[in-house]
Amino acid sequence: MKRYSAWNVFRNGLSDQKKWDRVWRDPDPKKSYDVVIIGGGLHGLATAYYLAKNHGIKKVAVLEKGWLGGGNAGRNTTIVRSNYMMPDNRRFYEHSLKLWENLSHDLNFNVMFSQRSHVSLFHSPAARDAAARRYNTMRVMNSDGELWDLNRLKREVPHLNYGPDARFPILGAAVQPRAGTARHDAVAWGYARAADSYGVDILQNCEATGVTRAGNQVVSIETSRGLISTKKLGFAVAGNTSRLWRIAGLGRLPIESHKLQAFVSEPLKPLLDQVLAFGVGGAHFYISQSDKGGMVFGGDIDWYKSYAQRGNLPIVQDVAECAMSILPCLGRVRLLRHWAGIMDMSMDGSPFICKTPLSNLYLNAGWNYGGFKASPASGWFFADLIANDQPDPIIANYDLDRFSRGYNIDERGAGPDPKLHG
Ligand SMILES: Cc1cc2nc3c(=O)[nH]c(=O)nc-3n(C[C@H](O)[C@H](O)[C@H](O)COP(=O)(O)OP(=O)(O)OC[C@H]3O[C@@H](n4cnc5c(N)ncnc54)[C@H](O)[C@@H]3O)c2cc1C
């Protein structure tokens, strides 16, 4: 793989851009691998990369049933933040944010990470107190967080509905300045290219259809491109996790598959410099402006479980109402596209990176709304778990047993019931 550099850009310009290498190979599946990861989204690709880079395990394949990044990896609203209070998620997402801060350099690929601040509005003194507690905890633990009063907020984000007749009067905001956005498909391509450069085989159009076991051990995987043997197997298939779990003969998981929609408007002149989030009284809305000018936004998950990658109209209305109540200037803006992805909603709103009842099968799932920001740390710790067969202390509670222990990872503990996410 040629490294990208100013010199390379110049030299390829001289040959009309025709001499660039393929960004990653398109190999045929080998008969066997040391590790197979099912799922060519961000988590699968990041895992393969860190297996090779951090642990020297390079005989690795990533199986993707469609095209690389065609799942949630390329469908999300790209928000990256680490504003958690409770220890497990705080440490994990802070580790992820630190990896994000160096990711373009590490991958030698511009993932367009833009630390433009994440601004969470609050609308009541109680919400302000809760935000103060959470953001002060973050600061004490060496992360970053600020509270903006109304005057500061008006200066920084002038176009919000501050009027006396606002449906949700705004009192101020909790802000994480290091948070922001990145270009989602660039992240998938960057991880794929970097993993490929270590010799990882990325197998697109390769669906896992069966898992062959000998007792409590995985021996091989049946795929649409033939049988592949492996010493270790990892699942990183987001909204399809329950299906694969069943294929492996393991019954049911505490995960439901729900759809989440995202929306993008026609391009506008610069309107919003930050990522803005707002949630009050059952409303849930987040918005940022892409580098091309489109307003990128979303709201709640749809109200029923499904594996379809398309959304329903009531949520379109719901999200449009949220947009109008907080940013009325969007009222005449035209919507360009909207789409949906299949979310792996866990019962407590927190993820799994853990071992499973099968001795050489490892699980990465339960990312809910937040798996984009998690992807670097998820790959990092999942690779570590697969390589060393024991969890790093930071992810020790991201296991399936936490429900029987009654352990609460997140302060909200909100599961897949859409009402709980409002
Ligand atoms: C609309 C929307 C907005 C979001 N916004 C944000 C956000 O702003 N910030 C944030 O942090 N998170 C966000 N998320 C969540 C985030 O996108 C996901 O949590 C994350 O992408 C999931 O991990 P992944 O990328 O590995 O999943 P995916 O990209 O879904 O990867 C899983 C892959 O597995 C493949 N697969 C499934 N079954 C098989 C099989 N049998 N064989 C082979 N391959 C298989 C699928 O084709 C898919 O490509 C959002 C999600 C959606 C849908």
Side-chain angles (χ1 to χ4, degrees):
M1 175 188 80
K2 275 201 197 103
R3 282 184 68 78
Y4 294 136
S5 64
W7 165 241
N8 250 335
V9 170
F10 175 73
R11 209 179 46 182
N12 280 282
L14 295 178
S15 56
D16 218 11
Q17 312 292 352
K18 290 198 174 120
K19 293 202 172 152
W20 288 107
D21 291 341
R22 276 190 75 104
V23 174
W24 57 84
R25 296 163 300 126
D26 184 20
D28 287 325
K30 296 190 180 73
K31 286 209 162 31
S32 72
Y33 291 92
D34 289 340
V35 179
V36 169
I37 304 292
I38 305 182
L42 295 165
H43 295 246
L45 293 166
T47 304
Y49 171 65
Y50 293 119
L51 273 170
K53 184 186 174 211
N54 293 358
H55 304 283
I57 303 174
K58 298 178 182 167
K59 211 173 158 203
V60 176
V62 177
L63 273 47
E64 168 52 52
K65 71 174 173 181
W67 68 95
L68 196 149
N72 293 344
R75 292 165 187 267
N76 58 71
T77 42
T78 77
I79 300 170
V80 175
R81 56 184 172 83
S82 69
N83 54 346
Y84 288 85
M85 185 176 81
M86 303 273 276
D88 299 88
N89 279 349
R90 195 183 60 232
R91 287 184 309 214
F92 177 84
Y93 285 104
E94 189 54 29
H95 184 84
S96 208
L97 188 51
K98 292 208 170 90
L99 291 173
W100 275 108
E101 287 173 328
N102 194 41
L103 199 59
S104 293
H105 291 289
D106 187 27
L107 300 179
N108 180 232
F109 199 96
N110 186 2
V111 301
M112 296 169 72
F113 182 43
S114 158
Q115 291 179 286
R116 59 180 71 179
S117 301
H118 181 272
V119 178
S120 292
L121 304 179
F122 46 71
H123 307 264
S124 67
R128 183 184 50 212
D129 291 351
R133 180 167 173 250
R134 179 164 161 179
Y135 280 65
N136 280 333
T137 309
M138 286 155 53
R139 288 165 67 115
V140 168
M141 303 317 288
N142 295 326
S143 184
D144 60 326
E146 300 173 356
L147 293 191
W148 289 356
D149 64 12
L150 199 51
N151 288 335
R152 170 93 191 264
L153 185 63
K154 282 181 177 171
R155 268 200 320 275
E156 305 277 354
V157 196
H159 304 295
L160 300 180
N161 188 359
Y162 295 111
D165 57 344
R167 187 163 165 217
F168 302 111
I170 301 168
L171 298 190
V175 180
Q176 187 178 30
R178 284 163 62 237
T181 59
R183 182 167 170 201
H184 44 21
D185 37 22
V187 186
W189 300 333
Y191 270 122
R193 173 174 171 270
D196 176 271
S197 74
Y198 280 110
V200 169
D201 283 355
I202 295 165
L203 306 172
Q204 298 183 77
N205 296 313
C206 186
E207 179 169 5
T209 52
V211 171
T212 317
R213 289 168 47 176
N216 80 333
Q217 200 178 353
V218 173
V219 180
S220 58
I221 306 126
E222 292 146 40
T223 81
S224 53
R225 296 177 68 180
L227 195 72
I228 299 175
S229 318
T230 185
K231 291 179 190 155
K232 295 185 174 184
L233 175 63
F235 285 170
V237 290
N240 284 288
T241 307
S242 307
R243 282 175 161 171
L244 271 183
W245 199 250
R246 232 172 293 131
I247 284 176
L250 292 169
R252 293 164 65 104
L253 270 177
I255 287 180
E256 289 179 1
S257 293
H258 287 260
K259 291 166 305 166
L260 180 64
Q261 302 189 46
F263 305 79
V264 65
S265 77
E266 60 185 336
L268 306 178
K269 288 188 175 172
L271 172 72
L272 183 63
D273 291 339
Q274 303 84 358
V275 177
L276 188 84
F278 134 76
V280 61
H284 185 194
F285 182 70
Y286 35 91
I287 185 165
S288 64
Q289 188 164 20
S290 79
D291 293 344
K292 281 197 275 185
M295 304 305 295
V296 181
F297 51 96
D300 256 325
I301 47 180
D302 282 22
W303 303 89
Y304 56 93
K305 289 163 240 150
S306 165
Y307 288 111
Q309 289 187 87
R310 59 179 183 274
N312 66 8
L313 285 173
I315 287 291
V316 178
Q317 180 175 350
D318 207 47
V319 170
E321 283 171 1
C322 284
M324 285 303 292
S325 69
I326 211 71
L327 268 165
C329 62
L330 292 180
R332 311 225 12 212
V333 169
R334 276 168 297 195
L335 200 61
L336 213 57
R337 296 190 303 276
H338 84 111
W339 60 88
I342 316 166
M343 318 288 295
D344 38 339
M345 306 296 291
S346 64
M347 294 299 139
D348 61 355
S350 293
F352 305 105
I353 304 180
C354 60
K355 298 179 77 168
T356 70
L358 304 187
S359 63
N360 57 348
L361 174 68
Y362 305 82
L363 176 66
N364 178 315
W367 292 104
N368 298 268
Y369 285 76
F372 178 65
K373 65 181 187 287
S375 40
S378 164
W380 180 282
F381 288 118
F382 197 38
D384 181 72
L385 174 72
I386 293 171
N388 297 320
D389 239 4
Q390 57 179 29
D392 184 282
I394 290 184
I395 55 149
N397 288 311
Y398 285 5
D399 63 352
L400 285 163
D401 291 337
R402 65 176 182 256
F403 298 102
S404 54
R405 293 198 305 278
Y407 187 81
N408 193 22
I409 286 184
D410 194 29
E411 52 263 44
R412 298 191 57 212
D417 183 334
K419 285 274 182 211
L420 297 175
H421 286 273

